[in-house]
Amino acid sequence: MYKIRYKLPHWCLRNIYFAFVHPNILYGLEVYGNTYVSYLDKLTTLNNKILRILHKKVAVVTIVCIGSMTPSLHAISNYQVLRFVHKIVYLVPMIFHNCFTLSTSVHNYSTRHNKLYLSHVSSPSGGRLLNFKGSQLLNRLPKYLIDIKSHQLFQKITVLLSI
């Protein structure tokens, strides 16, 4: 990246980043993104370093991320978990639905929302489990986003809202 940053235009450097670096960060992020922040420090530091190189200057990471239209690793992780939960709830067969339970199926009475049931966790590591964090993130969304059945439409709207 150091050698090509002055030889190529910015749009080309951005395409190289999204072709070679970004997919490696996204691979399996739903699983490893819920770990301790200290475990992700090396990956975050390396990603920020590459973004600074591509912008040809030393700058604050948040300004560089906004300029290159790349959200932080935490935001990308939350987005990937939301996409995964939406796929499980609306697209996959009923066999996998035991990972996430609708709150309407838990209660004997009619509830006002179509949200996921949050089970009780007794430890901080339980709060980082994929089914708990995914349910929590999906429940924070507005009702009109939760009710979207089409995965493509859900993905487009959540990207536009930069969740």
Side-chain angles (χ1 to χ4, degrees):
M1 292 295 183
Y2 279 119
K3 293 181 180 183
I4 65 171
R5 68 181 172 169
Y6 291 111
K7 294 180 170 96
L8 296 175
H10 180 69
W11 64 268
C12 190
L13 293 172
R14 187 175 183 277
N15 287 346
I16 289 171
Y17 172 81
F18 280 106
F20 294 110
V21 178
H22 199 68
N24 289 314
I25 292 172
L26 290 182
Y27 183 74
L29 189 62
E30 300 90 357
V31 177
Y32 73 83
N34 297 329
T35 188
Y36 293 106
V37 177
S38 61
Y39 292 162
L40 295 175
D41 281 344
K42 287 183 181 180
L43 182 63
T44 304
T45 305
L46 183 63
N47 187 39
N48 294 342
K49 187 176 181 180
I50 291 171
L51 288 173
R52 284 188 190 113
I53 290 169
L54 295 180
H55 279 276
K56 303 173 188 170
K57 58 186 168 188
V58 177
V60 179
V61 175
T62 55
I63 295 171
V64 170
C65 289
I66 290 170
S68 62
M69 299 299 287
T70 57
S72 66
L73 189 62
H74 179 70
I76 294 171
S77 173
N78 286 344
Y79 173 70
Q80 291 294 104
V81 168
L82 274 173
R83 283 184 53 214
F84 178 75
V85 171
H86 191 267
K87 281 182 186 177
I88 292 286
V89 171
Y90 291 110
L91 294 179
V92 298
M94 294 296 282
I95 297 170
F96 299 104
H97 284 209
N98 60 353
C99 295
F100 302 99
T101 308
L102 290 174
S103 60
T104 55
S105 64
V106 174
H107 301 295
N108 294 330
Y109 50 87
S110 177
T111 58
R112 287 180 270 168
H113 54 78
N114 191 20
K115 295 188 176 186
L116 297 177
Y117 178 72
L118 284 174
S119 59
H120 177 71
V121 292
S122 58
S123 67
S125 60
R128 284 190 303 275
L129 291 174
L130 185 61
N131 59 357
F132 183 80
K133 185 175 180 181
S135 299
Q136 196 175 36
L137 287 173
L138 196 71
N139 288 346
R140 289 182 190 164
L141 293 177
K143 184 175 176 8
Y144 71 91
L145 284 177
I146 294 173
D147 293 338
I148 294 175
K149 304 274 190 239
S150 167
H151 185 66
Q152 288 82 14
L153 183 61
F154 178 80
Q155 188 173 349
K156 285 179 185 176
I157 291 175
T158 51
V159 165
L160 291 175
L161 294 175
S162 59
I163 291 177

